[in-house]
Each structure stands twice: as structure tokens, then as C-alpha cells.
Amino acid sequence: MAVKDRDRFSTATRIRLIGEQTAARVYRSQTKRQARRSRLTGRAALLAMVICSLVVALAYPIRQYVAQRAEIADLQRQRQETRERVEQLRDLKARWQDDAYAEQQIRLRLHYVMPGETGYIVVDRDAAEQSRTDLGSADRPWYRNVWDGVDKADAARDQ
């Protein structure tokens, strides 16, 4: 027994015991970490799978909801525009029911005059001189004249 006690207090024995104790602690902490890590990884994977399935399951209905809300907003805007247009047409109809407005529009648009009045139209001098300058178009090919007419009509519409 004396040898055993001497071995127990020797430096080599002490270092070996400290090493074994440290190894046991490290092994225990590693197994706890691995157990914890594997348990959290499984839970995290399950949670991620549930979240992904919810996203996939709800993506189409949410997209449909947003599209329908946009369509409803568009239809409400169209309805408001239509109501405003109906009000404008009702106002115009009421104006045309008035004889004074109808007479004013007939005089303005159709250049009618009442009996005993003298009717006249003011011609724009610049427009008359411009039409005289177009007389030189007789020496060009016919398709150029047609194309120039289209250009002038388009320019007049843009102004």
C-alpha cells in the first residue's frame, strides 16, 4: 500500500489524473453541445419547413386578394368617372333645352343669321396667302401632294 500511496502523490500520476479529468469534462461538454445542436437543428428544420409550407400555401390567396383589391379600386374609379360624365351630359342636355343657348350655338357653329341681319365671315389673311403659295404644287408628283396634305391635316390637328 505504501507504493500505491507513493504513486498517488507522484507528479506523473497527478498530471495523468488532471488530464483524464479535463478530457472527461471536454467530452461531456462536447456531447452536451452535440446533443443540443442536433436537437436545435431538428427543431429549426421543422420550423423552417412549416414556415415555408405556410408561405407557399398563402402566396396564391394573398396574390389573388391584392389583385382583386386593385380591380375593385379601378372599378370604383371608373364608376366615379362615369358619374361625372353623366352629370356633364345632363347639364349639356339642360342647356340645349334652353332656346337662347340653342340659338347661340346655331349661330356660332352653323353661321346662321336672323332675317334682316347681315352675315359675314372674317378670313385670316395669313391663311389666304399661304394657300396661294401652295399653287406651285402642280409641278410635283401627285403622291407628294397627297403626302403634304396628310402632313398639314396632322399638323392642324396637333395645334
Side-chain angles (χ1 to χ4, degrees), residues 23-34:
R25 285 186 197 138
V26 168
Y27 178 73
R28 276 186 289 183
S29 67
Q30 284 178 352
T31 56
K32 284 182 182 178
R33 263 192 232 136
Q34 287 175 352

Side-chain angles (χ1 to χ4, degrees), residues 15-55:
I15 292 175
R16 193 171 19 105
L17 274 172
I18 291 172
E20 289 173 357
Q21 289 172 355
T22 306
R25 285 186 197 138
V26 168
Y27 178 73
R28 276 186 289 183
S29 67
Q30 284 178 352
T31 56
K32 284 182 182 178
R33 263 192 232 136
Q34 287 175 352
R36 221 183 276 145
R37 189 176 296 147
S38 65
R39 200 171 42 205
L40 288 177
T41 304
R43 287 180 183 171
L46 180 64
L47 181 63
M49 203 161 66
V50 167
I51 289 174
C52 288
S53 64
L54 284 175
V55 167

Side-chain angles (χ1 to χ4, degrees), residues 1-2 5 12 30 33 43 57 65 67 72-73 78 80 91 130 156:
M1 278 218 81
D5 285 336
Q30 284 178 352
R33 263 192 232 136
R43 287 180 183 171
Y65 174 76
I72 288 171
Q78 286 179 0
Q80 183 63 29
D91 290 343
Q130 188 178 16

Side-chain angles (χ1 to χ4, degrees), residues 47-153:
L47 181 63
M49 203 161 66
V50 167
I51 289 174
C52 288
S53 64
L54 284 175
V55 167
V56 168
L58 294 177
Y60 184 74
I62 289 175
R63 191 182 84 196
Q64 289 295 324
Y65 174 76
V66 169
Q68 288 175 357
R69 295 302 302 170
E71 185 178 354
I72 288 171
D74 187 42
L75 290 174
Q76 287 176 343
R77 182 189 51 80
Q78 286 179 0
R79 184 183 68 187
Q80 183 63 29
E81 289 175 359
T82 304
R83 284 184 178 174
E84 290 172 3
R85 178 70 178 143
V86 166
E87 285 299 318
Q88 290 173 354
L89 291 174
R90 283 184 182 154
D91 290 343
L92 185 62
K93 180 182 175 186
R95 276 193 244 145
W96 277 101
Q97 298 297 324
D98 183 22
D99 290 336
Y101 180 78
E103 182 181 328
Q104 176 192 13
Q105 291 299 314
I106 290 170
R107 285 175 175 260
L108 181 67
R109 295 180 184 187
L110 302 176
H111 304 290
Y112 278 25
V113 292
M114 296 298 284
E117 293 179 353
T118 305
Y120 61 93
I121 298 176
V122 178
V123 178
D124 186 15
R125 270 187 187 211
D126 296 333
E129 288 179 15
Q130 188 178 16
S131 66
R132 284 190 209 127
T133 59
D134 289 341
L135 293 177
S137 63
D139 57 340
R140 293 189 307 185
W142 64 271
Y143 52 85
R144 289 256 176 131
N145 293 335
V146 170
W147 191 252
D148 287 342
V150 170
D151 285 340
K152 286 180 186 176

